[in-house]
Amino acid sequence: MWIKSINFLKMYVVRSIFLFVVILLIIEASSTANNPPILAPFSFPPALKEGERGSATCTIRSGDTPLEFTWLKDGQDVRDIEGVRIKSDLDSSFLIIPFVTSKSSGNYTCIVKNAFGSDRYTSTLAVSAPPVWKVEPMNLDIQEGGNAHISCEASGVPQPEIKWLQGNVDVFRQ
């Protein structure tokens, strides 16, 4: 009889431990499952100049793994843009532009997805670039009273303002 009681006690302990483990697994699964990702806001370094390094880190505040990260620039996949590198790990993704140009300026969106949903965040990268003549004005010799057409165009960030001066007087503010 004593042996039967010990065997019954062993069986009771084993079943109790098994039930306890199952309950723990159910509690853990219900507390971490079905959570869509939520991104933390990010930004680029301010006042970047052409030739400097631009980078941003997209990371989640919460959400279940595995995660899939995607980056867009002005709505297009950045993997199609030369000179842009992406590195992703378990819960974050890094966008790196080793040498920014004025063409790097734009709205960059990080998108993260898991089996339960997705989230996105957009930040603007503004790269300043000095003014450059696209069409440089040329000197003209014309007869007094004659008409002249002089063209010019410049690019830069911010967009350059073009003024026409005769001496020190703005020609178009007379």
Side-chain angles (χ1 to χ4, degrees):
M1 174 131 159
W2 176 256
I3 295 177
K4 285 185 179 181
S5 294
I6 291 177
N7 285 339
F8 176 75
L9 185 60
K10 284 182 182 178
M11 187 172 65
Y12 178 76
V13 169
V14 169
R15 284 184 182 172
S16 296
I17 291 172
F18 177 75
L19 183 58
F20 179 72
V21 169
V22 167
I23 290 171
L24 283 178
L25 289 173
I26 290 171
I27 290 171
E28 182 179 336
S30 66
S31 67
T32 61
N34 303 332
N35 291 320
I38 298 174
L39 287 174
F42 65 89
S43 62
F44 289 93
L48 281 175
K49 296 179 181 135
E50 284 192 321
E52 293 182 329
R53 179 186 183 98
S55 63
T57 302
C58 177
T59 187
I60 65 163
R61 295 185 339 210
S62 64
D64 293 339
T65 57
L67 298 165
E68 177 187 334
F69 288 92
T70 305
W71 285 89
L72 306 176
K73 178 190 180 254
D74 300 326
Q76 296 185 329
D77 194 323
V78 297
R79 291 178 293 188
D80 300 335
I81 301 172
E82 187 177 338
V84 176
R85 296 190 327 237
I86 304 296
K87 292 182 180 180
S88 298
D89 63 18
L90 183 65
D91 64 355
S92 55
S93 183
F94 308 94
L95 178 131
I96 303 159
I97 308 171
F99 303 100
V100 296
T101 67
S102 59
K103 291 181 182 179
S104 304
S105 295
N107 293 314
Y108 287 82
T109 303
C110 176
I111 302 169
V112 62
K113 296 178 184 177
N114 69 9
F116 309 107
S118 66
D119 195 15
R120 64 177 50 217
Y121 187 83
T122 300
S123 183
T124 301
L125 170 62
V127 178
S128 61
V132 175
W133 287 116
K134 291 171 106 179
V135 177
E136 191 170 350
M138 306 288 284
N139 290 330
L140 291 177
D141 290 324
I142 58 169
Q143 292 183 359
E144 189 174 329
N147 291 326
H149 179 79
I150 304 173
S151 297
C152 73
E153 185 179 349
S155 66
V157 177
Q159 181 65 37
E161 179 182 337
I162 298 173
K163 290 185 177 183
W164 290 95
L165 303 175
Q166 183 175 10
N168 289 331
V169 179
D170 188 336
V171 174
F172 295 106
R173 289 201 177 184
Q174 292 181 359

